[in-house]
């Protein structure tokens, strides 16, 4: 398993970045932060486009740069791909020539078998566009060409710098689906930078959060989102990956598995059985009862234990662990008093099928 | 005009001088323009001013200082004489060096502007695809800024053909060596040989007009050609 070891300092007049973090290069790692948090600078340092950084950067045992040893691998020698926010296609070349540009210059990759040009073209749905000039392409098409061009250079790591920010909603969804497919099919590790947590939540399996040039959180995506929730940094929500069990069209429901319990959501027959589905449940959509609500119209009720009790203003944010999964629940201080809720207490949480929102 | 006609010889000398000057200018001017386009230090304005100096200075001023430097009394002239065994002042080499300095802004300025316009975006993208610096120059920079290269070379050539003051100061009037068309023209006028002067003058006017028209034609914005769109940034 590949690792990216980052130990860097970047100092500008008005901004500094200081990171000491090991990142495991599996699947898609989201890098989230507000503008000015340093996420784009971090990406540039990894790519080799920012030469002012001090410190060390390694992929496994390969030194990308080491400022003390005065080694600096030029961007073209790093075998790292980068998809920019603006596609940066070469205007004097056709779509096919753009794609071939990276392919012709790829580093010899002994371990993997070479990528098939037409396979990547088919994957990115560019067959009909190959002969076109890049000026004739729409924004979504340009970004697909940029992605395919980066893939054909066969990088060992693909960086994505806000790749969806210039696209409309329809193209965003298309591109997200594509990225997930590409990641699975090529087993290519990706670092995905975005200021939109919703975007990262749909794609990434781990998450690094940057705040004023420092790493504030890093880990499994759902865990980090839970931490962000407890720290009041984002809207309170429970983020889950659940296995799709079955569709119940007669009831208009889809059933999901959470350990030995089940969660029902509004029917979504686009979801494949036995595959993972990403969903979120807003903390305000969940309520708490002391006894199992057998005679309720609310379809989901799970047994759990209160593991967190945080007061913010007149609201209480409860963390309830059900079958190993933390759920966030907001209730009023009044309700908390009335039910005399305490830590470690066994309770039931309940929420409607409609409260479960599928991210994609 | 026969081959042995002195004006014919002056034409050949002129073309040789302008051709060689253009080649040297492209070789020196391209890296200089690149350096200036990428440079961020405060020294940039000073170097830019230095390059642009021939645009405003009377050519005779440049010629005067070069004459001093090229003479055997000064170090550059001495070094040249030791290395080649010949005096630098009043030689073909002297007028080529003078022309290079005199026409430098005409080559550097359009190239610098083109490089600045090109920016770093596409070059960064090419580097991330594995292209080395030289590779990037030939596959990205050159094809995209081709028109500016042709403009720079044409302006450098045309301006060198049209120069008078510098050549007069450091070249003198040696047939086959330093006697170029503009000097020949001056001689004809001095000798009241207006007929010959007309032939040279009108030929220079027509040739320059054709060359400049071609440059402007080349630089006319075309609708069909993809421009460097910055639609996302």
């Amino acid at each position: 398993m590949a690792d990216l070891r980052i130990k860097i300092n970047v100092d500008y007049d008005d901004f500094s970045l200081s990171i000491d973090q090991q990142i495991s290069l599996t699947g898609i790692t989201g890098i989230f932060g507000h503008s000015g948090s340093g996420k784009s600078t971090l990406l540039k340092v990894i790519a080799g486009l920012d030469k002012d950084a001090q410190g060390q950067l390694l992929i496994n045992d390969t030194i990308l740069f080491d400022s003390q040893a005065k080694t600096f691998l030029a961007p073209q020698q790093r075998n790292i791909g980068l998809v920019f926010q603006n596609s940066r296609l070469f205007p004097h070349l056709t779509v096919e020539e753009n794609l071939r540009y990276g392919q012709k210059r790829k580093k010899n990759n002994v371990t993997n078998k070479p990528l098939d040009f037409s396979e990547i073209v088919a994957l990115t749905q560019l067959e009909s566009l190959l002969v076109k000039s890049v000026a004739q392409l729409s924004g979504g098409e340009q970004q697909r060409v940029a992605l395919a061009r980066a893939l054909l250079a066969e990088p060992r790591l693909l960086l994505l710098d806000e790749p969806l920010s210039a696209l409309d909603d329809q193209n965003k969804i298309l591109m997200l689906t594509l990225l997930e497919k590409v990641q699975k099919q090529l087993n290519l590790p990706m670092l995905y930078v975005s200021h939109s947590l919703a975007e990262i939540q749909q794609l990434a399996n781990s998450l690094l959060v940057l705040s004023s040039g420092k790493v504030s959180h890093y880990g499994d995506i759902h865990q980090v989102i839970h931490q962000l929730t407890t720290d009041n940094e984002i809207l309170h929500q429970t983020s889950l990956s659940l296995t799709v069990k079955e569709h119940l069209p007669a009831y208009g429901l889809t059933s999901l598995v959470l350990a030995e319990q089940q969660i029902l959501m509004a029917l979504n027959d686009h979801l494949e059985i036995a595959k993972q589905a990403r969903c979120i449940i807003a903390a305000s959509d969940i309520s708490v009862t002391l006894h199992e609500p057998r005679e309720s119209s609310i379809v989901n009720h799970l047994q759990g234990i209160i593991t967190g009790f945080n007061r913010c203003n007149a609201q209480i944010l409860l963390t309830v662990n059900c079958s190993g999964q933390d759920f966030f629940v907001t209730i009023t201080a009044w309700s908390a008093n009335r039910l005399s809720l305490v830590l470690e207490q066994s309770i039931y949480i309940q929420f409607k099928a409609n409260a479960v929102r599928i991210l994609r | 005009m026969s081959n042995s006609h002195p004006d014919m010889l002056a034409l050949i000398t002129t073309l040789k001088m302008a051709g060689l000057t253009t080649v040297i200018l492209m070789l020196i001017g391209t890296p200089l323009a690149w350096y200036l386009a990428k440079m961020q230090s405060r020294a940039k304005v000073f170097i830019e001013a230095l390059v642009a100096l021939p645009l405003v200075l009377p050519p005779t001023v440049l010629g005067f200082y070069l004459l001093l430097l090229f003479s055997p009394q000064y170090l550059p002239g001495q070094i040249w004489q030791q290395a080649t065994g010949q005096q630098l002042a009043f030689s073909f080499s002297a007028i080529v060096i003078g022309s290079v300095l005199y026409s430098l802004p005409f080559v550097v300025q359009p190239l610098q502007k083109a490089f600045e316009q090109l920016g770093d975006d596409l070059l960064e993208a090419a580097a991330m695809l594995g292209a080395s610096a030289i590779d990037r120059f030939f596959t990205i920079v050159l094809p995209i800024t081709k028109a500016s290269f042709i403009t720079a070379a044409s302006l450098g050539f045309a301006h060198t053909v049209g120069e008078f003051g510098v050549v007069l100061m450091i070249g003198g009037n040696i047939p086959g060596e330093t006697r170029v068309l503009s000097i020949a023209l001056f001689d004809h006028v001095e000798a009241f040989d207006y007929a010959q002067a007309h032939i040279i003058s009108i030929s220079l006017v027509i040739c320059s007009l054709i060359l400049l028209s071609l440059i402007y034609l080349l630089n006319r914005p075309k609708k069909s050609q993809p421009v460097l769109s910055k639609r996302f940034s």
Side-chain angles (χ1 to χ4, degrees), chain A residues 47 49 75-76 80 82 84 86-92 101-102 105 107 135 137 139 142 149-150 166, chain B residues 120-122 124-133 135-136 139-140 143-144 226-228 231-233:
Chain A
L49 298 175
Q76 64 267 23
I80 292 176
L82 175 50
F84 300 89
N86 48 352
S87 334
R88 304 199 185 181
L89 301 180
F90 305 131
H92 59 301
Y101 193 92
R105 289 165 178 79
K107 302 275 171 290
L137 304 181
Q142 292 194 359
R149 184 176 70 171
Chain B
D120 289 330
D121 278 15
L122 297 176
E124 286 181 354
M128 293 313 294
L129 294 167
S132 67
D135 190 2
R136 296 197 290 269
T139 57
I140 307 291
I144 294 179
V227 282
L228 292 174
R231 59 189 297 176
F232 291 125
S233 42

Side-chain angles (χ1 to χ4, degrees), chain A residues 98-162:
Chain A
N98 265 278
L99 297 181
R100 298 274 187 203
Y101 193 92
Q103 197 189 27
K104 276 185 219 157
R105 289 165 178 79
K106 73 182 174 196
K107 302 275 171 290
N108 281 330
N109 208 330
V110 196
T111 48
N112 293 336
K113 73 174 176 64
L115 285 183
D116 185 34
F117 182 80
S118 49
E119 189 188 319
I120 296 296
V121 169
L123 188 65
T124 46
Q125 298 159 34
L126 295 172
E127 296 98 328
S128 59
L129 305 176
L130 287 178
V131 293
K132 286 201 178 182
S133 114
V134 295
Q136 293 171 275
L137 304 181
S138 72
E141 289 167 342
Q142 292 194 359
Q143 240 4 18
R144 292 210 313 272
V145 175
L147 173 65
R149 184 176 70 171
L151 294 176
L152 282 162
E154 298 188 20
R156 56 178 154 192
L157 168 66
L158 184 64
L159 311 174
L160 299 126
D161 188 7
E162 306 259 7

Side-chain angles (χ1 to χ4, degrees), chain A residues 63-80:
Chain A
I63 297 173
L64 298 184
F65 83 84
D66 184 337
S67 57
Q68 274 195 325
K70 301 231 183 284
T71 33
F72 185 89
L73 218 53
Q76 64 267 23
Q77 294 165 326
R78 294 192 178 192
N79 200 14
I80 292 176

Side-chain angles (χ1 to χ4, degrees), chain A residues 212-284:
Chain A
S212 335
K214 290 195 165 59
V215 175
S216 65
H217 301 82
Y218 172 66
D220 169 80
I221 180 121
H222 299 308
Q223 280 173 13
V224 172
I225 285 175
H226 282 186
Q227 278 165 17
L228 291 176
T229 302
T230 9
D231 299 349
N232 284 319
E233 284 181 35
I234 54 172
L235 203 66
H236 296 155
Q237 56 179 267
T238 303
S239 169
L240 300 151
S241 285
L242 299 171
T243 313
V244 181
K245 189 177 159 203
E246 57 182 336
H247 298 299
L248 307 163
Y251 297 116
L253 294 172
T254 292
S255 152
L256 307 163
V257 183
L258 172 72
E260 71 280 7
Q261 315 202 53
Q262 91 165 347
I263 289 178
L264 293 167
M265 58 171 284
L267 182 68
N268 186 338
D269 43 21
H270 296 301
L271 296 174
E272 275 184 72
I273 306 290
K275 286 273 168 68
Q276 295 272 300
R278 297 220 166 171
C279 41
I280 53 169
I281 306 168
S284 53

